[in-house]
Amino acid sequence: MSTNQETNPLFVDPPWLAPLAGYTDLPFRLLCRECGCGTACTEMISAKGLVYDDKSTLKYLNTTAEDSPLVVQLFGGEPHFLYKAVKMLHELGFRYFDLNAGCSVKKVVKTGSGAALLKNPQNLQDCLQAMLEASGRSNVGVKIRSGWYVSNPNYLQCGKIAEDTGAAWVTLHPRFATKGYSAFSDWSHLKELKQHLDIPVLASGDLLSAQEGEKCVEQTGVSNIMFARGALKDPLIFRKFLLARFDRDMNSTGDIFDSAKEVGEQNDLAGTVIPHEDKDIIQEKQQLIKRHIDLACKFEDEKRAFLKMRTLIPRYLNSFYRVGEIRKRVIESASWKELLDLLDNLGQWLQERENCTNFDS
Ligand SMILES: Cc1cc2nc3c(=O)[nH]c(=O)nc-3n(C[C@H](O)[C@H](O)[C@H](O)COP(=O)(O)O)c2cc1C
């Protein structure tokens, strides 16, 4: 396979934003890009839904010139639907595609899609082949897990099939489909897969902080990483990762984890709670949330944007100390004014909580 990691825009340093159903819409992708994300993925989109011109499916394709490079992730288990979907997307101007072979949600796997493809490597190959043919044989990747059953790890086999079929990259989330999110990701699978393939291997799985991203690259040698839940909690994770890498490169003789740790400590890298709220961190969070609100209002109707932001903001507040009451108020807020007032007074709220001795949350 001829993918050149040096020149392919998808494999320059910045980490990817992983596909996240329900989250990686246009406003969130743009926010993450402003925070240093390189390539971003759409959430998984049904190939069949696209072919049948399902309006609820088409809304996932909303994009802008700044939203680039963009990988459209598809799910499906029938090669002819994947072929038609990619053909259509290619004609619309989309250039990068990913096949979801990792989703273990019942609704998806019962149709033979997602991680069910790992149980049927021949169909995995046929689906990839169809996508490659429709896209002009380039820029198609696949996202897999370590296998379906723990007793049958087949990530090396599936990765090799992908490479031999012509895939441009493989992403591995090193957990088994039957295990969901239980147990820690097994990064040794990433290292093995990287050594087994010539095409780029991307890592996904338990990269919840910039430090963990750094550690994963160091330990496994993967070509790049994807932030998923880590980006939902803190989109600045991308910038923090790049800073830590820059710091490491500048101090290549020193202990890279010490320097990454320093940046982490300053910026709440590890996602640990911050007991004594730092003014700068509060301000950084307020700015980030307001920017997300601006982007959501720009690309969604206001009511939808409001309902969405009410559910997203609490996640951004999790890194603060004892924020149960503030989170509740955000979720229950009835207007933008109420929500923005809460945000503006975040510092004061946090201070009051800290001074209070009777904590209930
Ligand atoms: C809410 C949510 C939605 C997800 N949606 C998708 C998806 O649409 N496609 C996909 O390939 N993986 C999806 N994933 C899996 C993530 O992309 C990622 O591989 C996984 O969360 C492991 O990374 P993490 O431990 O760093 O979060 C989803 C995960 C979560 C938590």
Side-chain angles (χ1 to χ4, degrees):
M1 175 62 219
S2 61
T3 302
N4 183 341
Q5 288 192 46
E6 303 305 317
T7 54
N8 190 324
L10 265 53
F11 297 101
V12 287
D13 240 1
W16 289 33
L17 172 64
L20 289 160
Y23 293 97
T24 46
D25 57 6
L26 176 61
F28 187 66
R29 293 197 302 267
L30 291 176
L31 180 74
C32 289
R33 291 184 191 284
E34 290 177 8
C35 293
C37 150
T39 299
C41 301
T42 66
E43 63 181 271
M44 59 177 177
I45 303 174
S46 161
K48 211 169 182 170
L50 281 177
V51 172
Y52 286 128
D53 206 14
D54 175 0
K55 283 211 169 52
S56 66
T57 307
L58 291 173
K59 73 170 191 258
Y60 298 126
L61 296 174
N62 206 8
T63 186
T64 61
E66 301 81 50
D67 186 29
S68 170
L70 176 67
V71 175
V72 180
Q73 193 193 55
L74 296 176
F75 71 95
E78 292 158 289
H80 62 283
F81 280 121
L82 287 158
Y83 178 89
K84 283 188 188 162
V86 172
K87 195 93 187 150
M88 182 187 118
L89 291 169
H90 200 259
E91 276 159 18
L92 287 172
F94 294 94
R95 285 296 169 264
Y96 302 108
F97 310 96
D98 192 65
L99 174 63
N100 182 320
C103 178
S104 57
V105 171
K106 228 184 194 161
K107 204 171 86 181
V108 172
V109 295
K110 76 173 186 209
T111 65
S113 315
L117 290 170
L118 302 174
K119 288 196 285 188
N120 187 349
Q122 181 59 54
N123 197 37
L124 174 70
Q125 180 171 7
D126 294 344
C127 288
L128 264 175
Q129 184 77 43
M131 289 173 72
L132 280 155
E133 273 167 26
S135 71
R137 297 213 63 79
S138 63
N139 298 328
V140 176
V142 59
K143 186 160 175 279
I144 62 174
R145 284 189 178 233
S146 295
W148 181 264
Y149 297 112
V150 180
S151 56
N152 181 27
N154 64 350
Y155 52 98
L156 295 181
Q157 181 199 6
C158 293
K160 193 72 186 145
I161 285 173
E163 176 167 280
D164 291 345
T165 311
W169 69 87
V170 176
T171 305
L172 174 61
H173 175 194
R175 281 193 174 95
F176 291 89
T178 49
K179 289 280 174 187
Y181 275 83
S182 62
F184 198 77
S185 298
D186 190 339
W187 289 355
S188 70
H189 296 177
L190 291 164
K191 186 172 182 178
E192 257 188 293
L193 186 64
K194 174 65 189 159
Q195 286 166 354
H196 196 63
L197 302 183
D198 291 326
I199 56 173
V201 171
L202 279 99
S204 178
D206 293 305
L207 305 178
L208 303 180
S209 70
Q211 276 170 305
E212 280 158 323
E214 268 281 282
K215 224 184 271 181
C216 180
V217 172
E218 290 304 314
Q219 285 180 10
T220 65
V222 287
S223 318
N224 208 336
I225 57 168
M226 282 184 178
F227 285 121
R229 289 172 299 166
L232 290 182
K233 195 178 58 176
D234 181 14
L236 286 163
I237 196 170
F238 297 97
R239 189 175 302 162
K240 291 166 183 175
F241 174 85
L242 293 170
L243 268 173
R245 290 215 100 186
F246 178 73
D247 195 43
R248 183 203 60 176
D249 292 345
M250 296 300 283
N251 300 291
S252 51
T253 49
D255 180 336
I256 58 161
F257 293 119
D258 277 355
S259 49
K261 194 163 162 266
E262 244 169 64
V263 178
E265 279 165 0
Q266 284 163 16
N267 294 297
D268 173 32
L269 257 190
T272 47
V273 288
I274 308 165
H276 300 291
E277 316 298 2
D278 180 303
K279 253 192 176 156
D280 292 342
I281 295 179
I282 295 170
Q283 218 172 34
E284 182 185 83
K285 209 61 121 186
Q286 285 169 317
Q287 280 170 359
L288 182 95
I289 294 170
K290 284 186 177 171
R291 182 62 185 146
H292 197 164
I293 291 175
D294 284 348
L295 288 165
C297 290
K298 188 168 173 192
F299 296 106
E300 304 247 26
D301 80 67
E302 223 182 294
K303 178 138 192 257
R304 273 182 71 90
F306 177 67
L307 296 176
K308 188 176 261 180
M309 288 312 300
R310 249 186 6 179
T311 62
L312 294 180
I313 292 170
R315 204 184 275 260
Y316 290 147
L317 301 179
N318 277 348
S319 57
F320 292 117
Y321 193 51
R322 293 178 169 161
V323 284
E325 178 62 22
I326 307 175
R327 285 166 44 95
K328 189 165 166 280
R329 289 213 172 198
V330 167
I331 293 165
E332 289 172 357
S333 59
S335 66
W336 280 117
K337 181 173 179 332
E338 203 181 320
L339 187 60
L340 291 169
D341 280 350
L342 280 168
L343 264 184
D344 285 338
N345 293 319
L346 184 62
Q348 199 186 323
W349 264 98
L350 294 169
Q351 193 58 51
E352 279 168 19
R353 294 301 293 167
E354 209 166 306
N355 294 340
C356 176
T357 46
N358 270 332
F359 293 120
D360 57 359
S361 50

